[in-house]
Structures are given as C-alpha cells and as structure tokens.
Amino acid sequence: MGTETSHTVLLINLNTNARTTAMMTDLAAAGLAPHGLEVIGLTAAAGPALITDPTALAESRQHVRRAALDYLVGPGGGTVAAVIVAAIGDPGREQLSEELAVPVFGIGQGSIHAASRGNRRFGMAASTPLLAASLARLVAAHGKSEFFTGVRLTASEPLVLAADPEQQYRELAAAVGESTALDGAEALIIAGGPLSATALRLAQTTRAEIIQPVPSACGLLLETLGRK
C-alpha cells in the first residue's frame, strides 16, 4: 500500500453504463494522477444501467465484489493501491474492505466525510426518491445524522434526467437551493455517481458549497494513503 509498485486505483461503476464509467474515471484521474496514481475504471458486468431503488442497490454488492476480485487475480492485481466503489450508497464497501488487503472507499463515504467536516450542517440533492431512506441510513452509519438536513429531490425521475443533462442541471440546482434556503444546509452532496458532470457544473456555477462524490472519495483516499 502506497509503495512505488502500488500505483493503481480501481474505480468500480455499479451502473452498467460504460460512458458513466469513463466520466467518473476521468474525474478521479484528474485528482489522483498528480499524486502518482493511475485510475482504472471497471464497469459492472451485470445489473441495471442506473441504480434507482434499494433492491438494485443491494444486488449490486455481488457485482462490485466480482469486479474487484477478478481484477486483483489478474496480471495487474499486484499494482492496486486502493479501490473506489463508485455508487453513492457504497454497496459492498464494508464487506470488500474486510476481504481485501488494500483499502476500499465509497463515494458516499467520501462525500459524507467531506460534507460534515467541522461538524457543519449538510444535505443531499438527488434524483432517486426510492434511495432517499438508504442515503439517510448511510449518513447514520457514519455517525453524522445530527448534522444531516435531509435529501431534497428533483421533480423528474432519474432516467428522464439522465437523457437531458440541461434539465438535470436545472432540477438539481433547484434542489440545492431548497436545501440551503429551507433546510439550512451549509454543504450539499450531489448524491449520485452518474450525476458527476452536473455536480462539477454546479460547483462552478452556484454559491452553495457543492460536495462532489468522486473527488471526495479521492480526497479521502489520498488522506488515508498519506499522499495528500
């Protein structure tokens, strides 16, 4: 871990959408490459194109495990320094952490770590209403419920927004505004790996403190590996 030979980070996308994997891999590489880490993006071999409900989230645990183990037993396995589970609910992260000799990070874990820094109040903006309870449980699992202002949702369903990036941006911006103005959130997690491009845009165009899941996981990874 953290040696010259361990220079690869696996980013596993649990949505079976290779374009989303490429987007998140590029975003992670922007943060990790300057620290000597190469990012390899892996797409789940099975499951939905977009995780939108608790059943799909739970089922994806087996897919993240399979993707990680298959790579680690291959020719590049010896270079792996860490694994990132790139699904906001962090499915399978804890189990994989117990099984692997390298650290495993989740984009949900990284986001909560970054958003709650200094015990500030934080919320989430999301497009997946069926996952709102799962996100709240993830916050509780990290002991940050007292600082959590809740999940604000987009008006449209996630698949509709996935097909229209401009509408996705407008509706998430509205959810961010509600969370800050009505809930008193000081930081906002854009809750979804496939929302990464919009999260980056919101960080550049809104006054709110936007927490981007993939960069947040990368930041926690660098802290843990002592590379930051």
Side-chain angles (χ1 to χ4, degrees):
M1 185 191 311
T3 67
E4 291 184 4
T5 56
S6 300
H7 64 270
T8 302
V9 173
L10 300 184
L11 182 144
I12 305 174
N13 176 24
L14 278 303
N15 299 294
T16 54
N17 185 319
R19 284 188 299 177
T20 300
T21 304
M23 173 185 65
M24 292 193 291
T25 300
D26 288 346
L27 193 56
L32 297 179
H35 300 273
L37 293 167
E38 177 189 3
V39 182
I40 302 294
L42 304 176
T43 305
L50 190 63
I51 296 174
T52 61
D53 62 79
T55 299
L57 187 67
E59 290 176 350
S60 66
R61 294 172 186 165
Q62 61 183 310
H63 304 311
V64 70
R65 180 178 183 274
R66 187 75 273 148
L69 294 182
D70 283 351
Y71 190 92
L72 287 166
V73 298
T79 69
V80 175
V83 176
I84 295 175
V85 178
I88 197 66
D90 296 347
R93 184 193 69 80
E94 290 187 358
Q95 299 92 321
L96 204 56
S97 292
E98 295 173 358
E99 195 168 353
L100 301 185
V102 298
V104 182
F105 303 91
I107 62 172
Q109 173 197 26
S111 297
I112 294 166
H113 178 78
S116 64
R117 200 181 298 273
N119 290 337
R120 62 182 172 181
R121 289 168 58 79
F122 70 96
M124 293 188 186
S127 63
T128 47
L130 297 179
L131 290 178
S134 298
L135 294 173
R137 284 194 293 272
L138 184 65
V139 172
H142 289 286
K144 300 297 182 180
S145 294
E146 67 176 298
F147 310 110
F148 186 49
T149 64
V151 180
R152 285 284 177 173
L153 296 164
T154 56
S156 302
E157 293 296 311
L159 292 175
V160 171
L161 297 184
D164 189 339
E166 193 61 33
Q167 184 177 354
Q168 182 183 96
Y169 168 76
R170 290 196 304 270
E171 293 195 16
L172 282 170
V176 166
E178 291 171 355
S179 189
T180 55
L182 303 179
D183 304 331
E186 300 171 86
L188 264 299
I189 297 169
I190 306 303
L195 305 178
S196 292
T198 297
L200 177 60
R201 185 179 174 189
L202 286 167
Q204 296 170 338
T205 58
T206 67
R207 296 179 63 183
E209 176 73 22
I210 299 297
I211 306 299
Q212 302 175 62
V214 172
S216 296
C218 292
L220 182 58
L221 182 156
L222 292 171
E223 288 179 24
T224 303
L225 295 186
R227 289 180 179 251
K228 196 166 185 177

